[in-house]
Amino acid sequence: MDKLIIQGGAKLHGDIRISGAKNAALPILAATLLADGPVTIGNVPHLHDITTTMELLGQMGLELTVDEKMNIEVDASTIREFFAPYELVRTMRASILVLGPLLTRFGRADVSLPGGCAIGSRPVNLHLQGLAAMGADLTVDGGYIRASAKRLKGVDLVMDLVTVTGTENLMMAATLAKGVTVIRNAAREPEVVDLANCLISMGARIEGAGTDTVRIEGVDSLSGTTYEILPDRIETGTYLVAAAMTGGNVRLKNTRPELLEAVLAKLNEAGAAITTGENWIEIGMNGQRPRAVSIHTSPYPGFPTDMQAQFTALNCIAEGTGVITESVFENRFMHVLELQRMGAQVKVEGNTAITTGVDYLKSAPLMATDLRASASLVLAGLVARGATEVDRIYHIDRGYETIEEKLSNLGAHIRRVPS
Ligand code: UD1
């Protein structure tokens, strides 16, 4: 297991390239199960969760070929198993995304139920309810969802809650169902739209992705395609916060500013000067300390829960008091205990974290608990006095491609060592 050692104090300067979005690549890899011919996916980030998904598909018998640029070709014609084992699902909850495609194309699936995780209980009841309404026969037995169906049928679904992977699973299931499926109160995240666009390029008939009502007209089969994953808005946002916290000046390339409106608005409020072009964002702090901001997380286009921990870290060293309310997940303040060990003044009351900025944080040995929490600890390390050690960084490797190289390119003093 590796850890990161960060010597705080360097202002970040320079350019970096943003990777493809993990949360779009995962459902799109699952969608390859739907295609009659090979699917080639470009701009795939080199991340642990991607390797886990490839392992999952490989174990089912799919043929995967990767070139040196991480273009992945997947051929589902060699499938021999319809099974997602606990060992893989427990390390990556997004494995549940194979359920809809397996069921709709092959009529059967045995997928382990994901357990709880560090940020809350995270049930998948809405995925299952939707599939049952489409005619699937589902039982839970020995920790596994055992699902079978003849041909799924199109239905009108009203989702109780906005769920990203739930919308994706049901949208994929509906592509090969008989008739029309309408998903109401659907997630509007850009990654849902990216998946829809990929499915459309395979021949699916989908309208309304990116709105709260998605309409899918089932077709008899889908074909192979070539598709480029959209840029990662959460990786983009994380480096923007890193620049703001260190008082630096950074330009992020290969990204999409329009996917980050809520995040850019909060950075503006914190005092950052932001300029954008079609596929780049530049941020500068003009030597100013950031001002604390108040945030309420909500589904897209609201402020993303996946950026909450990073802004909590920013507030810890900002001027003034900030109130951060987490409304998507029930237990997403694990990073606060670690930040407090660095001298941060944060009070958590229920789902709200109230921060009073301090002049500086002090380094401490830290433990990463989940993906975005870990990112916030790295950000805190960048501005802390002394050398901060962040342990258990396999969480970071699940979602940030070569984080130490990218930060080093911007002038940070950061290295990876075995722990
Ligand atoms: C996805 C993202 C994750 C992000 C989250 C919210 C991927 C691979 N992961 O996770 O990075 O933090 O969206 O933007 O895209 N819920 C239920 N029942 C369900 C499904 C969800 O109660 O069947 C609840 C969850 O517990 C949570 C809320 O709905 O409180 C939203 O979760 P959801 O959007 O499903 O998150 P994920 O799709 O797992």
Side-chain angles (χ1 to χ4, degrees):
M1 225 186 286
D2 292 346
K3 63 184 173 187
L4 289 174
I5 301 182
I6 308 151
Q7 181 70 44
K11 285 187 175 15
L12 301 189
H13 278 284
D15 291 10
I16 47 170
R17 187 185 177 282
I18 293 302
S19 303
K22 167 180 88 73
N23 286 354
L26 297 178
I28 287 174
L29 278 166
T32 62
L33 284 162
L34 296 164
D36 281 349
V39 177
T40 305
I41 314 168
N43 201 28
V44 181
H46 196 227
L47 296 171
H48 219 270
D49 275 6
I50 300 295
T51 323
T52 306
T53 309
M54 290 171 65
E55 200 180 326
L56 176 60
L57 297 176
Q59 279 189 13
M60 290 180 190
L62 277 66
E63 214 158 274
L64 292 109
T65 327
V66 188
D67 72 11
E68 70 288 352
K69 287 190 177 148
M70 275 300 281
N71 293 309
I72 303 182
E73 189 189 279
V74 188
D75 181 353
S77 64
T78 50
I79 191 163
R80 29 162 223 275
E81 281 184 27
F82 309 89
F83 175 61
Y86 177 63
E87 293 69 47
L88 290 179
V89 178
R90 121 187 119 86
T91 62
M92 195 192 61
R93 301 177 45 82
S95 313
I96 191 76
L97 286 164
V98 298
L99 179 61
L102 282 176
L103 197 53
T104 199
R105 175 136 188 247
F106 304 104
R108 50 197 275 219
D110 282 351
V111 177
S112 170
L113 258 183
C117 73
I119 63 175
S121 63
R122 296 183 83 176
V124 291
N125 57 314
L126 301 175
H127 302 229
L128 303 187
Q129 272 171 29
L131 292 171
M134 296 172 83
D137 202 355
L138 298 154
T139 50
V140 175
D141 173 25
Y144 279 81
I145 304 159
R146 312 222 184 258
S148 61
K150 290 223 169 69
R151 187 171 180 191
L152 293 176
K153 58 176 194 305
V155 280
D156 203 310
L157 296 169
V158 183
M159 308 297 286
D160 282 350
L161 276 174
V162 177
T163 156
V164 176
T165 49
T167 302
E168 292 166 345
N169 231 340
L170 297 171
M171 186 164 76
M172 288 190 280
T175 56
L176 293 177
K178 188 169 169 51
V180 172
T181 300
V182 180
I183 307 175
R184 300 181 197 276
N185 199 25
R188 289 181 279 169
E189 268 65 6
E191 294 75 21
V192 174
V193 179
D194 211 37
L195 170 65
N197 287 339
C198 177
L199 292 167
I200 290 167
S201 77
M202 289 161 67
R205 298 206 185 122
I206 303 175
E207 284 167 17
T211 75
D212 62 4
T213 306
V214 184
R215 183 181 183 280
I216 308 112
E217 189 185 332
V219 294
D220 290 337
S221 65
L222 294 173
S223 55
T225 189
T226 299
Y227 195 78
E228 283 282 299
I229 304 283
L230 94 167
D232 196 313
R233 65 195 165 99
I234 306 300
E235 188 198 24
T236 306
T238 303
Y239 288 114
L240 289 172
V241 175
M245 286 175 73
T246 61
N249 202 315
V250 165
R251 188 181 170 105
L252 304 175
K253 300 182 295 190
N254 279 74
T255 187
R256 295 249 306 264
E258 76 276 14
L259 306 181
L260 283 119
E261 276 178 13
V263 171
L264 297 183
K266 286 296 162 189
L267 286 166
N268 252 316
E269 214 180 299
I274 292 176
T275 31
T276 59
E278 197 189 328
N279 62 354
W280 56 267
I281 304 176
E282 197 170 298
I283 181 167
M285 286 303 287
N286 301 320
Q288 304 268 321
R289 177 181 177 189
R291 289 188 295 273
V293 287
S294 290
I295 281 167
H296 191 112
T297 64
S298 57
Y300 192 85
F303 188 92
T305 172
D306 284 351
M307 283 302 300
Q308 179 262 105
Q310 299 87 319
F311 272 79
T312 307
L314 177 132
N315 273 357
C316 288
I317 50 106
E319 205 179 307
T321 300
V323 179
I324 295 194
T325 306
E326 172 56 60
S327 70
V328 178
F329 290 111
E330 68 213 29
N331 184 24
R332 208 171 195 182
F333 283 127
M334 303 288 279
H335 43 290
V336 166
L337 288 168
E338 298 297 285
L339 293 168
Q340 284 168 337
R341 295 179 55 246
M342 302 175 85
Q345 289 188 13
V346 194
K347 208 163 76 187
V348 176
E349 285 174 5
N351 64 344
T352 301
I354 303 153
T355 49
T356 305
V358 293
D359 289 338
Y360 60 90
L361 294 173
K362 285 174 286 193
S363 62
L366 303 175
M367 196 76 93
T369 49
D370 71 72
L371 170 54
R372 305 304 168 186
S374 326
S376 76
L377 302 183
V378 172
L379 299 183
L382 290 173
V383 295
R385 290 193 176 167
T388 299
E389 289 185 12
V390 184
D391 211 337
R392 295 207 184 156
I393 56 161
Y394 55 85
H395 289 291
I396 298 185
D397 295 333
R398 290 187 44 211
Y400 290 91
E401 188 172 46
T402 59
I403 191 168
E404 71 275 24
E405 275 171 41
K406 287 190 181 183
L407 285 171
S408 297
N409 282 345
L410 296 175
H413 303 297
I414 178 168
R415 65 201 162 90
R416 179 185 289 256
V417 293
S419 54

